[in-house]
Amino acid sequence: MDRRSATAALLALGLAPLAARAQAWPARTIKIINPFPPGSPVDVVSRSVAQALEGGLKQTVIVDYKSGAGGTIGAGEVARAPADGYTLLVTSSSTHVIAPALRRQLPYDATKDFVPVAMIGYGPTVIVVHPSVPVNTLAEFVQFVKANPGKVSYASSGPGTILHLSGELFAHKTSTQLLHVPYKGAVPASTDLLGGQVQAMFDSISNASPQVRAGKLKALAVLTPERTPLLPGVPTAIEAGFPGLDFPAWLGVFAPAATPKDVVDRVAATLQSALVQQEVASKLMQSGITPAFTAGDAFRAKLAADQKLVADLVKVANVPQQ
């Protein structure tokens, strides 16, 4: 064997274990970190993702709950995990869009420490008003707010939450003034809305839809690109004539930075196949999640655009950082 052949043989021997490891993935249990408490929309998605990956990859997948600090504790753990494809994060835009704009310090860099794997769907925000408010459409609500600047109140689950920032986006895009009334959670906020103590709310579809169907609230529009199956008769804000009222309230999957591309692509492809299955799609929709798959460069571009949107909104609305 000449020197060139010998060198090639040695290289082949050196690369063989790496190739074997790549082909063997996944060779052991995959862990999904859910950075929010059980029962949340993220919980529904994380369990659906686990089931989809188990079926598609023929490997055990577990969900590990690491909640706290608005999801940033669990996200930070994934950022520090080995980039080997065995630790994934299922989260909402709260940890990767809102937290970077509002928190002075985070245990991770939302852009540099993660690889965006795939967006799974939207958790629609819907504009709802108390029946006493004399409006039936989004256009009428805008006119009503303009006629009563700073007097129309809306409840939220707390400062800096999606429900708060959705209201700030509405006020900014429609050149109106709303009175923000923050609560310690969505439940007390919606309770006071139902009681008429406040007039409006930018609520999650899962929380608001039962009250809308019961006639206890009026739904004016959803702040997503498409209508939601839970309230199919309610238009999007864009359909109602208000472009730009599309708040980034999505749920997606991330991996630690430097996770091999072939692993990321395989996870994304497996999830895409699962989302077209009626059983999976129905489970998500019943929980208020509109399935919508985006991966690769498209997801990275959306993430960057949403981060800029919320960062700019926080500055314009003078939302204090935490």
Side-chain angles (χ1 to χ4, degrees), residues 13-47:
L13 287 172
L15 292 174
L18 295 176
R21 284 199 296 272
Q23 291 173 357
W25 184 91
R28 55 184 171 86
T29 298
I30 297 170
K31 180 170 65 175
I32 290 175
I33 299 294
N34 174 359
F36 296 97
S40 68
V42 175
D43 189 23
V44 175
V45 173
S46 63
R47 286 186 279 111

Side-chain angles (χ1 to χ4, degrees), residues 156-243:
S156 84
S157 51
T161 60
I162 288 177
L163 306 190
H164 169 212
L165 295 178
S166 295
E168 296 289 359
L169 179 66
F170 170 87
H172 175 59
K173 292 294 184 180
T174 59
S175 300
T176 56
Q177 297 177 32
L178 289 167
L179 175 62
H180 176 221
V181 183
Y183 290 79
K184 293 182 178 180
V187 173
S190 59
T191 298
D192 271 11
L193 174 61
L194 289 167
Q197 282 77 29
V198 289
Q199 294 161 290
M201 190 169 173
F202 297 77
D203 203 359
S204 67
I205 196 71
S206 57
N207 189 50
S209 57
Q211 311 301 337
V212 172
R213 288 194 292 266
K216 296 179 180 180
L217 294 175
K218 292 188 286 189
L220 305 180
V222 291
L223 306 186
T224 49
E226 300 175 356
R227 295 192 183 200
T228 169
L230 287 184
L231 293 174
V234 179
T236 67
I238 298 170
E239 288 178 315
F242 295 89

Side-chain angles (χ1 to χ4, degrees), residues 61-127:
V61 182
I62 62 171
V63 177
D64 192 5
Y65 296 91
K66 297 289 183 179
S67 61
T72 61
I73 291 176
E77 180 167 321
V78 176
R80 297 185 297 271
D84 54 10
Y86 289 99
T87 304
L88 301 172
L89 173 70
V90 174
T91 187
S92 71
S93 51
S94 295
T95 58
H96 281 65
V97 174
I98 295 176
L102 285 176
R103 294 179 181 265
R104 293 186 179 89
Q105 291 186 329
L106 284 175
Y108 57 86
D109 185 305
T111 301
K112 296 179 181 178
D113 291 343
F114 299 91
V115 178
V117 178
M119 185 181 80
I120 300 300
Y122 296 101
T125 300
V126 58
I127 304 176

Side-chain angles (χ1 to χ4, degrees), residues 254-296:
F254 292 79
T259 298
K261 185 177 183 301
D262 59 337
V263 171
V264 172
D265 290 346
R266 191 173 172 193
V267 172
T270 303
L271 295 176
Q272 185 175 24
S273 298
L275 280 180
V276 300
Q277 298 174 14
Q278 185 62 39
E279 181 182 354
V280 176
S282 295
K283 183 183 297 183
L284 294 177
M285 288 188 287
Q286 288 169 7
S287 301
I289 300 159
T290 303
F293 181 85
T294 303

